[in-house]
């Protein structure tokens, strides 16, 4: 038998998401729960993929299958598709496996034509409704299926409203709408060169094809890229019999969350509009009413809706995002899905659901997207400054956070300005999917129109971006690029601040403050720690970062880079002197000046990290990075060193390298100038001895960078040990320490079994390892990597997300070889990848002991580590420890 490509709602369920898409699977599930769902059928995601194989056309056997399901639907509904008297009308709705808000387009009232519209008018005794539905259908069909610009139609409506002197589309009469229908058909003919299709079957086929095509439209592609959704999942198509919210004052349509998606508060949250259809609520055509208001005007419907929302929450064990329509006093549910939420809401809902007994702590740990925790780690406005600031206007608190920046009025302008390094606020009447790139680049988003479920609000919450929506007091003139609030006018480039948690808008910049991990956040992180195996350390080379990381739960320092300390202006002269020295004595002299500085640096960091491991990496970058390039600086240095200006210039030239990243750096420096690492080792140990004297504990881990061979490692290590021996002797006391190496040169990964004999720990330096494995210069790859991502050669930037297929093999191999040769070895990763959730999962699964990342990513890595541990347990992945 041929593969089945079409399923009626009664044949599916929520587990069939991959095949039916999220929307289709949930419609089927709700249908199975006997909820009031208009019936229909779903064409599968596999059909979408086959559609592309068939050169973007529907094939015969699929058409037959669709016909069969249409007949079945006709029987259920007691109406016939194409019947001019009492036609079955349907919606054609896309639905991918992961919900992609606003990316795919829906067509309503399909099946109407010049005859059927009369039939509908008669059978419903509502001519206005019939023509309202028809004009909507023509507009949606033209826009979505045929790509006729939406604006052409909208302008006509605006003109009609103006001519009649009315504000809302509901005030247009049946006759007005009839006229509009004629004008719409004329637009269609003008744009398409043919009449608006009258045959419902043709309409349906065009619409289905359009949904499949929309899978590949640019907005959908951008959204998938942003959210790491594979391109070959495809979208399903749902064909569903229509219910009508535009039948008059006892009809309406709305959207609601079972809990508040900004805060997580356990209370219905949403909006609705009476006498409206489909997207009217989210499109900001009229200002919607809050859902609580429905309780006043239709208490029975409200109660029924609330019960259904509760039932679905219990069924899905998660907060739900619902779409509903009321048709002449009867409630229908058109969609449910797990609601998108801010990280703040995700945490609160997860913790509440545990406390309500609906889910386990482990479930709760899995409920928060680790990367989204970033939203909670961002600054809020300083309270005192905020209290003394006066809001110029207020909008809806659509997506929490605090943002200041220059205002820009188009997505392109925001993108351009932020590429220049400016902080920007995107200001729009209302946003649409075309604005998505501007929304990504902006620090915050301000709109004058639209509610809590408007495009701006939904997308901003998804991105964790601060957003104030529907600020109706703000008059946005997109053409003049100004905003006016009462008598204040601000123009492009002026700075404002917006508070997405209160909706307040301020002129100028307001100071921001760092967040705290208390309340439900604290509780969540405690559950995280109870479940994770992998430790999380931080990359920090100054007390401020170390302290911040500790507050975020870091369990030590995995990478303390020493070169940043060398760049300090009070040390740079001595560093330069050391580099340019002609003799060992001269160099030693300069190093002696640096020693106390280094010792103090380590001491200050140790003091914060007492009781925890601190891995210090010895000097790594090519020396010429420290040298002066300006004439004044060279002059000053010449004086300091008793050399001539020309001598300095020629020294600097001498140190120039064609390819410094592969040059004289890392432990290669110590092979040539062992006294540099000796000085650093002495500083590390001196500082540790001081801590010990004070009665505290610190175990320094000395890390040798860029090792490629055991003999190289051994040479450098012996120098260090010799120096430390001297220190112990001089001080007459000792302290525990460890010496290990970075694994960042591919050769080191291949020779890891040898190297492990001399190393007490390995730390994977995946930045360099990626650079050298791909042969991509980290500093230049930015110029061409975007093309690689666009052309799907390397879909993800390998410097951001570890390339598990290639570089990952080296990491895994080295980890296995290292452990086999030295069972006591401990291992971690300290490249940029250490805070990236997919990489953290990889590190967990290959049995590393820790990941190390920048302070602000510590909570993210902790959550990712816990989730990895739970997933590994559930999937029974054997972790080699
Ligand atoms: P999206 O994925 O963009 O939310 P939907 O397919 O959910 O698109 O549809 C858009 C709007 O049309 C929603 O408000 C939905 O409730 C409404 N809608 C879809 N199908 C029907 C239908 N059969 N009857 C009435 N309204 C519908
Ligand atoms: Mg929807
Ligand atoms: Mg490196």
């Amino acid at each position: 038998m041929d593969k089945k490509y079409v399923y009626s709602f009664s044949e599916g369920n929520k587990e069939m998401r991959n095949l039916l898409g999220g929307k289709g699977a949930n419609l089927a599930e709700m249908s199975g729960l006997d909820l009031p769902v208009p019936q229909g059928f779903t064409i599968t995601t596999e059909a979408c993929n086959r559609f592309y194989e068939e050169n973007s056309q529907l094939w015969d056997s699929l058409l037959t299958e669709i016909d069969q399901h249409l007949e079945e639907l006709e029987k259920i509904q007691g109406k016939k598709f194409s019947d001019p008297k009492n036609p079955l009308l349907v919606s054609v709705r896309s639905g991918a496996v992961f919900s992609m808000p606003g990316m795919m387009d829906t067509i309503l009232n399909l099946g109407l034509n010049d005859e059927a519209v009369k039939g509908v008018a008669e059978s419903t005794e509502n001519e206005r409704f019939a023509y309202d539905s028809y004009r909507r259908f023509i507009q949606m069909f033209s826009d979505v299926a045929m790509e006729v610009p939406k604006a052409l139609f909208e302008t006509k409506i605006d003109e009609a409203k103006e001519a009649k002197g009315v504000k809302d589309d509901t005030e247009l009469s049946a006759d007005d709408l009839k006229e509009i229908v004629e004008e719409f058909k004329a637009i269609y003919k003008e744009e398409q060169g043919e009449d608006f299709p009258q045959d419902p079957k043709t309409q349906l086929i065009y619409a289905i094809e359009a949904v499949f095509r929309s899978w590949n439209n640019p907005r959908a592609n951008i959204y998938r890229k942003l959210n790491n959704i594979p391109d070959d999942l495809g979208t399903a198509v749902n064909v569903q019999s229509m219910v009508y919210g535009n039948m008059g004052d006892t009809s309406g349509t709305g959207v609601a969350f079972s809990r508040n998606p900004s805060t997580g508060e356990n209370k219905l949250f949403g909006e609705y509009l009476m006498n409206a259809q489909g997207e009217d609520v989210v499109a900001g055509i009229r200002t919607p009413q809050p859902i609580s208001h429905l309780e006043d005007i239709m208490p029975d419907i409200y109660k029924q809706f609330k019960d259904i929302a509760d039932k679905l929450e219990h069924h899905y064990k998660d907060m739900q995002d619902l779409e509903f329509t009321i048709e002449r006093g009867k409630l229908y549910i058109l969609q449910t899905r797990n609601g998108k939420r801010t990280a703040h809401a995700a945490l609160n809902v997860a913790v509440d659901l545990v406390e309500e007994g609906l889910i386990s702590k482990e479930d709760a740990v899995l409920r928060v997207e680790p990367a989204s925790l970033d939203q909670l780690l961002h600054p809020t406005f300083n309270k005192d400054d905020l209290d003394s600031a006066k809001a110029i206007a207020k909008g809806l608190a659509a997506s929490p956070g605090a943002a200041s920046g220059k205002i820009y009025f188009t997505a392109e302008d925001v993108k351009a300005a932020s590429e220049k390094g400016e902080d920007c606020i995107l200001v729009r009447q209302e946003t649409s999917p075309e604005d998505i790139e501007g929304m990504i680049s902006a620090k915050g988003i301000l709109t004058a129109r639209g509610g809590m479920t408007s495009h701006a609000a939904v997308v901003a919450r998804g991105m964790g971006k601060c957003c104030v929506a529907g600020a109706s007091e703000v008059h946005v003139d997109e053409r003049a690029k100004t905003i006016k609030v009462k008598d204040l006018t601000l123009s492009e480039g002026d700075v404002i601040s917006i508070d997405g948690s209160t909706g307040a808008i301020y002129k100028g910049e307001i100071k921001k403050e760092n967040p705290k991990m208390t309340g439900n956040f604290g509780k969540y992180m405690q559950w995280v720690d109870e479940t994770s195996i992998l430790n999380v350390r931080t990359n920090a080379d100054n007390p401020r970062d170390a302290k911040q990381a500790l507050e975020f739960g870091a369990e030590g320092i995995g990478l303390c880079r020493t070169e940043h300390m060398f760049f300090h202006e009070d040390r740079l002269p001595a560093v330069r002197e050391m580099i340019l020295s002609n003799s060992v004595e001269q160099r030693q002299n300069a190093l002696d000046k640096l020693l106390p500085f280094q010792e103090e640096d380590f001491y200050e960091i140790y003091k914060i990290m007492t009781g925890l491991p601190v891995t210090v990496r010895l000097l790594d970058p090519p020396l010429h990075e420290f040298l002066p390039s300006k004439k004044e600086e060279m002059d000053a240095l010449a004086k300091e060193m008793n050399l001539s200006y020309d001598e300095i210039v020629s020294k600097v030239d001498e140190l120039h390298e064609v390819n410094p990243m592969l040059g004289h750096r890392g432990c290669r420096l110590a092979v040539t100038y062992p006294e540099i690492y000796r000085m650093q080792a002495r500083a590390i140990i001196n500082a540790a001895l001081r801590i010990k004297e004070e009665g505290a504990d610190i175990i320094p881990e000395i890390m040798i960078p860029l090792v490629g061979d055991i003999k190289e490692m051994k040479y450098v290590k012996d120098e260090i040990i010799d120096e430390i021996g001297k220190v112990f002797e001089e001080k007459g006391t000792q302290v525990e320490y460890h010496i290990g190496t970075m694994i960042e040169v591919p050769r080191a990964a291949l020779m890891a079994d040898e190297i492990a004999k001399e190393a007490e720990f390995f730390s994977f330096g995946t930045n360099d390892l990626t650079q050298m494995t791909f042969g991509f210069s980290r500093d230049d790859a930015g110029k061409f990597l975007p093309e690689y991502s666009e052309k799907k050669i390397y879909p993800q930037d390998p410097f951001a997300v570890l390339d598990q297929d290639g570089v990952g093999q080296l990491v895994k191999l080295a980890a296995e070889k290292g452990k086999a040769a030295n069972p006591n070895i401990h291992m971690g990763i300290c490249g940029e990848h250490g805070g990236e959730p997919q990489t953290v999962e990889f590190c967990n699964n290959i049995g590393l002991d820790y990941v190390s990342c920048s302070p602000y990513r510590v909570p993210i890595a902790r959550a990712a580590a816990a989730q990895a541990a739970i997933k590994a347990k559930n999937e029974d992945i054997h972790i080699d420890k």
Side-chain angles (χ1 to χ4, degrees), residues 479-500:
R479 226 169 292 160
K481 304 195 169 178
T482 58
I483 55 180
K484 278 206 184 87
V485 188
K486 288 165 211 137
D487 44 16
L488 174 73
T489 303
L490 297 173
S491 312
E492 182 179 80
D494 288 344
V495 175
I496 63 168
S497 296
I498 57 175
D499 189 334

Side-chain angles (χ1 to χ4, degrees), residues 357-373:
L358 240 58
I359 61 173
S360 69
K361 285 182 190 175
E362 284 195 356
D363 290 333
V365 166
L366 292 171
R367 285 293 170 88
V368 181
E369 186 66 51
S372 77
L373 290 174

Side-chain angles (χ1 to χ4, degrees), residues 23 91 93 106 108 240-243 278-279 323 334-335:
K23 201 181 281 170
S91 64
R93 319 172 64 187
T106 291
L108 302 177
Q240 185 176 27
S241 60
M242 284 299 304
V243 289
E279 304 281 21
E323 291 177 5
L334 286 159
Q335 191 172 340

Side-chain angles (χ1 to χ4, degrees), residues 151-411:
L152 294 176
F153 300 98
E154 275 163 6
T155 313
K156 281 279 176 250
I157 302 245
D158 287 343
E159 281 170 13
K161 285 196 286 197
E162 206 162 305
K164 279 211 86 176
V166 299
K167 221 175 104 247
D168 287 335
D169 59 309
T170 45
E171 294 171 271
L172 295 171
S173 69
D175 285 337
D176 298 330
L177 292 165
K178 265 187 202 170
E179 221 167 279
I180 288 175
V181 161
E182 287 311 313
E183 284 171 1
F184 277 16
K185 286 196 298 186
I187 296 174
Y188 185 90
K189 186 156 189 189
E190 166 93 30
E191 291 291 313
Q192 292 299 111
E194 59 185 31
D195 285 325
F196 187 78
Q198 292 289 311
D199 172 35
K201 275 277 164 63
T202 310
Q203 296 171 351
L204 182 61
I205 291 171
Y206 280 176
I208 292 169
E209 287 177 347
V211 172
F212 284 155
R213 274 201 309 273
S214 76
W215 175 252
N216 248 341
N217 77 28
R219 313 183 243 156
N221 281 326
I222 291 178
Y223 187 87
R224 284 202 293 276
K225 213 157 111 193
L226 192 68
N227 291 281
N228 288 326
I229 299 173
D231 289 321
D232 60 1
L233 290 182
T235 179
V237 185
N238 302 288
V239 177
Q240 185 176 27
S241 60
M242 284 299 304
V243 289
Y244 306 99
N246 56 336
M247 275 196 154
D249 292 340
T250 54
S251 301
T253 183
V255 294
F257 291 83
S258 57
R259 300 178 192 225
N260 185 313
S262 283
T263 63
E265 189 195 358
N266 187 3
K267 192 172 153 210
L268 272 189
F269 178 90
E271 291 162 330
Y272 73 99
L273 268 178
M274 292 314 273
N275 200 9
Q277 195 180 41
E279 304 281 21
D280 289 3
V281 176
V282 287
I285 293 190
R286 278 179 277 149
T287 303
Q289 297 286 341
I291 189 89
S292 55
H293 185 252
L294 187 63
E295 192 170 12
D296 303 333
I297 62 161
M298 291 183 138
D300 290 349
I301 295 276
Y302 180 83
K303 179 164 185 315
Q304 210 183 329
F305 182 73
K306 171 123 190 42
D307 289 347
I308 289 175
D310 283 347
K311 183 168 178 179
L312 286 171
E313 260 205 355
H314 274 79
H315 187 71
Y316 285 94
K317 300 188 189 307
D318 200 0
M319 182 248 264
Q320 295 298 296
D321 171 0
L322 296 140
E323 291 177 5
F324 64 94
T325 282
I326 305 162
E327 179 183 309
R328 293 202 273 211
K330 180 164 171 20
L331 176 70
Y332 292 93
I333 305 296
L334 286 159
Q335 191 172 340
T336 194
R337 60 183 161 200
N338 294 341
K340 286 211 189 289
R341 60 204 83 175
T342 61
H344 182 57
L347 271 176
N348 288 337
V349 170
V351 172
D352 286 349
L353 289 180
V354 171
E355 283 164 6
E356 290 162 30
L358 240 58
I359 61 173
S360 69
K361 285 182 190 175
E362 284 195 356
D363 290 333
V365 166
L366 292 171
R367 285 293 170 88
V368 181
E369 186 66 51
S372 77
L373 290 174
D374 192 43
Q375 295 173 23
L376 306 176
L377 303 174
H378 280 304
T380 47
F381 287 128
N382 171 284
K383 192 156 176 332
D384 292 340
D385 283 32
L386 199 62
D387 287 346
S388 61
K390 196 173 154 332
I392 54 169
K394 225 174 156 194
L396 301 171
S399 177
S404 307
K406 295 185 177 174
I407 55 175
Y408 287 97
F409 294 83
T410 68

Side-chain angles (χ1 to χ4, degrees), residues 827-839:
M827 292 187 279
I829 176 177
C830 66
E832 275 307 302
H833 306 96
E836 193 284 313
Q838 294 171 44
T839 312

